Amino acid sequence: MTTLGVTGGIGSGKTTVCGFLEEKGARVFYADIEAKRLMQEDDAVRAAIVEAFGDEAYGDDGALNRAYLAEQVFGDAERVERLNAIVHPHVFAAFEAATERAAEEGIDLLVHEAALLFEAGGDDHVDVTAAVVAPDADRIVWVTERDDVTPEQVRARMGHQLPQDELRRRADYVVENDGSLEDLRQKSVDLYWAVMRSE
């Protein structure tokens, strides 16, 4: 079995690429979804977040107070790193468990989809990596429509992520999302076969 890390900046189309890989029979582990689940459901993670950021990190109903937590860490690299240090090891442990399950079930390709793949060291946990990149103007349009935010807010979020040129440099494969959806589907299929042939 092969493990592939897929990353890309906000609005790049990485989730769409992962969907096309799923159509080819790959299984996808979505790191961001797993991180949110852990922050809500894992007792050790919850306790560590409360210790680091206070009781207000969770509401009276026990739900994660995302707005409060975002306020606590936004623009503070040290606090972001503190939160990541709590969550990321648990995400990687979950991915290792997912890898074992996928191998037992005969899955040929397990994809680890993560916005912060390189920043979190996730590339150390997979066999190969791919970056999905797209023109900044397209990304801004897509995200403003999807998330109902302003272009300035999108640019601010982009500014907190690795530049696309850096992603191109670090990834084993690059998927250029600069055409139609059908073009992206074909590039995703090409990526699938390139990765499978590399093993």
Side-chain angles (χ1 to χ4, degrees):
M1 187 185 73
T2 305
T3 53
L4 166 68
V6 173
T7 192
I10 184 172
S12 63
K14 65 181 179 299
T15 304
T16 303
V17 168
C18 287
F20 291 143
L21 292 172
E22 283 185 295
E23 289 179 3
K24 292 297 296 178
R27 179 174 293 175
V28 181
F29 174 92
Y30 292 96
D32 294 348
I33 293 174
E34 181 64 20
K36 289 172 184 171
R37 186 191 70 78
L38 286 164
M39 287 191 286
Q40 185 61 52
E41 299 177 11
D42 187 282
D43 290 341
V45 172
R46 288 173 66 97
I49 288 174
V50 168
E51 184 179 344
F53 301 103
D55 292 333
E56 299 92 337
Y58 292 89
D60 293 338
D61 60 353
L64 181 68
N65 187 341
R66 297 189 189 284
Y68 169 82
L69 199 57
E71 284 177 15
Q72 292 298 302
V73 304
F74 186 77
D76 188 327
E78 191 172 311
R79 285 185 150 229
V80 170
E81 181 56 39
R82 191 173 182 185
L83 179 61
N84 288 343
I86 293 169
V87 179
H88 285 163
H90 291 271
V91 172
F92 292 139
F95 179 68
E96 293 303 322
T99 301
E100 291 178 14
R101 283 196 304 274
E104 289 170 0
E105 294 168 19
I107 299 295
D108 291 327
L109 180 63
L110 178 66
V111 178
H112 182 139
E113 191 256 32
L116 302 177
L117 184 75
F118 293 116
E119 297 94 319
D123 50 320
D124 293 332
H125 295 258
V126 294
D127 299 318
V128 289
T129 59
V132 183
V133 297
D136 286 351
D138 291 345
R139 296 168 62 198
I140 290 168
V141 169
W142 293 332
V143 178
T144 53
E145 293 176 352
R146 182 191 70 191
D147 296 352
D148 192 26
V149 291
T150 67
E152 291 71 27
Q153 288 172 310
V154 181
R155 290 190 190 94
R157 288 160 74 177
M158 289 165 65
H160 289 287
Q161 299 178 329
L162 282 179
Q164 293 198 117
D165 285 345
E166 179 69 7
L167 293 179
R168 284 188 178 92
R169 187 184 69 78
R170 295 177 68 166
D172 297 302
Y173 300 94
V174 177
V175 178
E176 297 279 354
N177 183 11
D178 54 4
S180 67
L181 188 62
E182 196 52 45
D183 289 334
L184 187 60
R185 181 193 299 273
Q186 185 57 53
K187 289 174 179 177
S188 303
V189 171
D190 293 344
L191 171 65
Y192 175 86
W193 287 116
V195 170
M196 297 311 296
R197 282 194 298 266
S198 71
E199 289 302 302

